[in-house]
Amino acid sequence: MNGIILSSRYGTYEVLTSSQEIVVCKPRGLFRHKQIKLVVGDKVVIDEMEKVITDIEERKNFLIRPSIANVDELAIVMSVTEPDFSSLLIDKFIAYARFFKINANVIISKVDKDFDDRQLKEKIEALEKVGVQVIEYSKVTKLGIEKIQKLFENKIVALMGQTGVGKSSLLNELVPSSQCEVGEFSKFLGRGKHKTKEVVLIPYGNGFIADTPGFSSLELPFYKEDLAQCFVGFEKYYDKCKFGNCLHIHEKDCEVKKAVEEDKISKDTYENYLKVSEELILRKDRY
């Protein structure tokens, strides 16, 4: 029978089958021999009688952090305060998603609190200018919840963001039966309470929402050349640059820098690009 892995713990996997039953399975030894590590989101074939996973379908994609497969979209959650708003992290997370050819949207949480409205407005305008959907959300006033509900239907969406931005609170609002407490996930799969230290896939709206651990930093698993192609807003200009391997920094006739000058890409976005680029190495420097 076919199914999808909802969660994993201590070498066992909770699989939601095509008959909408959750079966706790272990993988056959062939996965270990082939060095295949099963992850949440994997579409698998199971033997219900023996309660073992016998095969895995080809993955659409695979994210290292959070560890999940077959994601349709990333929902990047960023709070306006506690933790502080960071346009740099937003752009970095979007680049991460686009490197894996996954669409990314942004949810700005805690907008009922006091914050720098000017900075937020400028960032929203910069993102929308390059085609990124941004939804402002408040747990208190319910602002944005209907847009988020519509956004999450009929697909596998992974929540991504820092610890404390409100991912679990948002999940509570969307799926009350998940019994997610702030900072904790409890009883959804009949388990005891525990901090969200693992990825868990929760059925929602003919699709799934992936609750993921929070983190404040992200090491991008690629090179400067890759970033130059997948950074937010750069895609439609990259192929028009004079040099095929343009890094958009010192090169002449760079269409990305021209777009920045013409305010088609915000200066803040470009400055974030330079900061992230400094963290990476050139592919040729790998050897």
Side-chain angles (χ1 to χ4, degrees), residues 42-219:
D42 271 331
K43 297 177 181 179
V44 296
V45 179
I46 69 169
D47 183 322
E48 281 191 285
M49 296 296 293
E50 296 187 19
K51 290 183 169 44
V52 294
I53 298 172
T54 61
D55 201 1
I56 179 175
E57 295 183 20
E58 183 178 353
R59 290 168 173 165
K60 174 181 177 180
N61 51 52
F62 168 65
L63 292 177
I64 301 168
R65 186 183 186 193
S67 185
I68 185 171
N70 301 312
V71 175
D72 293 313
E73 290 195 16
L74 276 183
I76 299 165
V77 185
M78 176 63 65
S79 58
V80 297
T81 184
E82 298 175 354
D84 292 338
F85 179 82
S86 171
S87 70
L88 176 62
L89 271 180
I90 289 177
D91 289 345
K92 194 172 185 179
F93 289 165
I94 295 175
Y96 180 69
R98 293 191 173 183
F99 174 75
F100 291 102
K101 296 180 170 52
I102 299 173
N103 187 49
N105 300 286
V106 177
I107 297 172
I108 307 295
S109 64
K110 305 183 185 181
V111 294
D112 53 282
K113 296 183 178 292
D114 293 331
F115 59 93
D116 185 348
D117 181 71
R118 178 190 54 79
Q119 181 191 18
L120 179 63
K121 183 178 179 181
E122 289 176 355
K123 188 56 185 175
I124 290 175
E125 290 176 351
L127 290 170
E128 291 179 339
K129 188 182 296 184
V130 294
V132 177
Q133 182 177 1
V134 182
I135 300 175
E136 296 180 65
Y137 168 67
S138 167
K139 180 181 71 172
V140 176
T141 67
K142 311 303 181 188
L143 174 69
I145 192 63
E146 291 184 0
K147 291 182 180 179
I148 295 172
Q149 289 170 333
K150 185 176 180 180
L151 176 68
F152 283 16
E153 290 178 348
N154 305 306
K155 64 190 74 164
I156 297 178
V157 180
L159 298 174
M160 185 175 184
Q162 298 167 278
T163 300
V165 295
K167 298 190 301 297
S168 291
S169 296
L170 173 59
L171 190 57
N172 279 334
E173 188 67 34
L174 294 169
V175 193
S177 61
S178 70
Q179 300 179 36
C180 238
E181 297 181 3
V182 176
E184 296 183 315
F185 190 87
S186 62
K187 298 182 180 178
F188 176 68
L189 297 170
R191 306 200 297 235
K193 295 180 181 180
H194 62 281
K195 293 286 186 181
T196 308
K197 295 181 180 179
E198 61 198 76
V199 179
V200 180
L201 208 59
I202 299 171
Y204 176 80
N206 295 317
F208 299 89
I209 300 174
D211 188 25
T212 68
F215 47 88
S216 58
S217 62
L218 176 67
E219 184 176 337

